[in-house]
CSV table of all heavy atoms in Angstrom, one decimal:
chain,number,residue,atom,x,y,z
B,81,ALA,N,-8.7,-9.3,19.6
B,81,ALA,CA,-8.1,-10.6,19.0
B,81,ALA,C,-8.8,-11.1,17.8
B,81,ALA,O,-8.3,-11.9,17.1
B,81,ALA,CB,-8.0,-11.6,20.1
B,82,THR,N,-10.0,-10.6,17.6
B,82,THR,CA,-10.8,-11.1,16.5
B,82,THR,C,-11.1,-10.0,15.5
B,82,THR,O,-10.4,-9.8,14.5
B,82,THR,CB,-12.2,-11.7,17.0
B,82,THR,OG1,-12.9,-10.7,17.8
B,82,THR,CG2,-11.9,-12.9,17.9
B,83,ASP,N,-12.1,-9.2,15.8
B,83,ASP,CA,-12.5,-8.2,14.8
B,83,ASP,C,-11.4,-7.2,14.4
B,83,ASP,O,-11.2,-6.9,13.3
B,83,ASP,CB,-13.8,-7.4,15.3
B,83,ASP,CG,-15.0,-8.3,15.3
B,83,ASP,OD1,-15.2,-9.1,14.4
B,83,ASP,OD2,-15.8,-8.2,16.2
B,84,PHE,N,-10.7,-6.8,15.4
B,84,PHE,CA,-9.7,-5.7,15.2
B,84,PHE,C,-8.6,-6.2,14.2
B,84,PHE,O,-8.1,-5.5,13.4
B,84,PHE,CB,-9.0,-5.3,16.5
B,84,PHE,CG,-8.1,-4.1,16.3
B,84,PHE,CD1,-8.7,-2.8,16.4
B,84,PHE,CD2,-6.8,-4.2,16.0
B,84,PHE,CE1,-7.9,-1.7,16.3
B,84,PHE,CE2,-6.0,-3.1,15.8
B,84,PHE,CZ,-6.5,-1.8,15.9
B,85,THR,N,-8.3,-7.5,14.2
B,85,THR,CA,-7.3,-8.0,13.3
B,85,THR,C,-7.8,-8.0,11.8
B,85,THR,O,-6.9,-8.1,10.9
B,85,THR,CB,-7.0,-9.5,13.7
B,85,THR,OG1,-8.1,-10.3,13.5
B,85,THR,CG2,-6.4,-9.6,15.1
B,86,ARG,N,-9.1,-7.8,11.6
B,86,ARG,CA,-9.5,-7.7,10.2
B,86,ARG,C,-9.4,-6.3,9.7
B,86,ARG,O,-9.7,-6.1,8.5
B,86,ARG,CB,-11.0,-8.1,10.2
B,86,ARG,CG,-11.3,-9.6,10.4
B,86,ARG,CD,-12.7,-9.9,10.6
B,86,ARG,NE,-13.6,-9.1,9.7
B,86,ARG,CZ,-14.7,-8.5,10.1
B,86,ARG,NH1,-15.1,-8.6,11.3
B,86,ARG,NH2,-15.4,-7.7,9.3
B,87,LEU,N,-9.1,-5.4,10.6
B,87,LEU,CA,-9.0,-4.0,10.1
B,87,LEU,C,-7.9,-3.8,9.1
B,87,LEU,O,-6.8,-4.3,9.3
B,87,LEU,CB,-8.7,-3.1,11.3
B,87,LEU,CG,-9.0,-1.6,11.2
B,87,LEU,CD1,-10.5,-1.3,11.0
B,87,LEU,CD2,-8.5,-0.9,12.5
B,88,PRO,N,-8.2,-3.2,7.9
B,88,PRO,CA,-7.1,-3.0,7.0
B,88,PRO,C,-5.9,-2.3,7.6
B,88,PRO,O,-6.1,-1.3,8.3
B,88,PRO,CB,-7.7,-2.2,5.9
B,88,PRO,CG,-9.2,-2.5,6.0
B,88,PRO,CD,-9.4,-2.7,7.5
B,89,PRO,N,-4.7,-2.8,7.5
B,89,PRO,CA,-3.6,-2.2,8.2
B,89,PRO,C,-3.2,-0.9,7.6
B,89,PRO,O,-3.4,-0.6,6.5
B,89,PRO,CB,-2.5,-3.3,8.0
B,89,PRO,CG,-2.9,-4.0,6.8
B,89,PRO,CD,-4.4,-4.0,6.7
B,90,ASP,N,-2.8,0.0,8.5
B,90,ASP,CA,-2.2,1.2,8.1
B,90,ASP,C,-0.8,0.8,7.6
B,90,ASP,O,0.0,0.4,8.4
B,90,ASP,CB,-2.0,2.2,9.2
B,90,ASP,CG,-3.4,2.8,9.6
B,90,ASP,OD1,-4.3,2.8,8.8
B,90,ASP,OD2,-3.5,3.3,10.8
B,91,ARG,N,-0.6,1.0,6.3
B,91,ARG,CA,0.7,0.5,5.8
B,91,ARG,C,1.3,1.6,4.9
B,91,ARG,O,0.7,2.6,4.6
B,91,ARG,CB,0.4,-0.8,4.9
B,91,ARG,CG,0.2,-2.0,5.8
B,91,ARG,CD,1.5,-2.5,6.3
B,91,ARG,NE,1.3,-3.6,7.3
B,91,ARG,CZ,2.2,-4.5,7.5
B,91,ARG,NH1,3.3,-4.6,6.8
B,91,ARG,NH2,1.9,-5.5,8.4
B,92,ASP,N,2.4,1.2,4.4
B,92,ASP,CA,3.2,2.1,3.5
B,92,ASP,C,2.4,2.5,2.3
B,92,ASP,O,2.0,1.6,1.5
B,92,ASP,CB,4.5,1.4,3.1
B,92,ASP,CG,5.3,2.2,2.2
B,92,ASP,OD1,5.1,3.5,2.2
B,92,ASP,OD2,6.1,1.7,1.5
B,93,THR,N,2.1,3.7,2.2
B,93,THR,CA,1.4,4.2,1.0
B,93,THR,C,2.4,5.2,0.3
B,93,THR,O,2.0,6.1,-0.3
B,93,THR,CB,0.1,4.9,1.3
B,93,THR,OG1,0.4,5.9,2.3
B,93,THR,CG2,-0.9,4.0,1.8
B,94,GLY,N,3.7,5.0,0.5
B,94,GLY,CA,4.7,5.9,-0.1
B,94,GLY,C,5.0,7.0,0.9
B,94,GLY,O,5.7,7.9,0.5
B,95,GLN,N,4.3,7.0,2.0
B,95,GLN,CA,4.5,8.1,3.0
B,95,GLN,C,5.4,7.6,4.1
B,95,GLN,O,5.6,6.4,4.3
B,95,GLN,CB,3.2,8.6,3.5
B,95,GLN,CG,2.3,9.2,2.4
B,95,GLN,CD,0.9,9.3,2.8
B,95,GLN,OE1,0.2,8.4,3.3
B,95,GLN,NE2,0.3,10.5,2.7
B,96,THR,N,6.0,8.5,4.9
B,96,THR,CA,7.0,8.1,5.8
B,96,THR,C,6.4,7.3,7.0
B,96,THR,O,7.0,6.4,7.4
B,96,THR,CB,7.7,9.4,6.4
B,96,THR,OG1,8.0,10.2,5.3
B,96,THR,CG2,8.9,9.0,7.2
B,97,PHE,N,5.2,7.8,7.5
B,97,PHE,CA,4.7,7.1,8.7
B,97,PHE,C,3.3,6.5,8.4
B,97,PHE,O,2.5,7.0,7.6
B,97,PHE,CB,4.5,8.2,9.8
B,97,PHE,CG,5.8,8.9,10.1
B,97,PHE,CD1,6.1,10.2,9.8
B,97,PHE,CD2,6.8,8.2,10.9
B,97,PHE,CE1,7.3,10.8,10.1
B,97,PHE,CE2,8.0,8.8,11.2
B,97,PHE,CZ,8.2,10.1,10.8
B,98,ALA,N,3.1,5.3,9.0
B,98,ALA,CA,1.9,4.5,8.8
B,98,ALA,C,0.7,5.3,9.1
B,98,ALA,O,-0.4,5.2,8.5
B,98,ALA,CB,2.0,3.3,9.6
Side-chain angles (χ1 to χ4, degrees):
Chain B
T82 54
D83 290 323
F84 190 88
T85 61
R86 290 169 37 223
L87 199 61
D90 289 338
R91 284 281 172 154
D92 178 22
T93 51
Q95 297 164 307
T96 312
F97 299 108

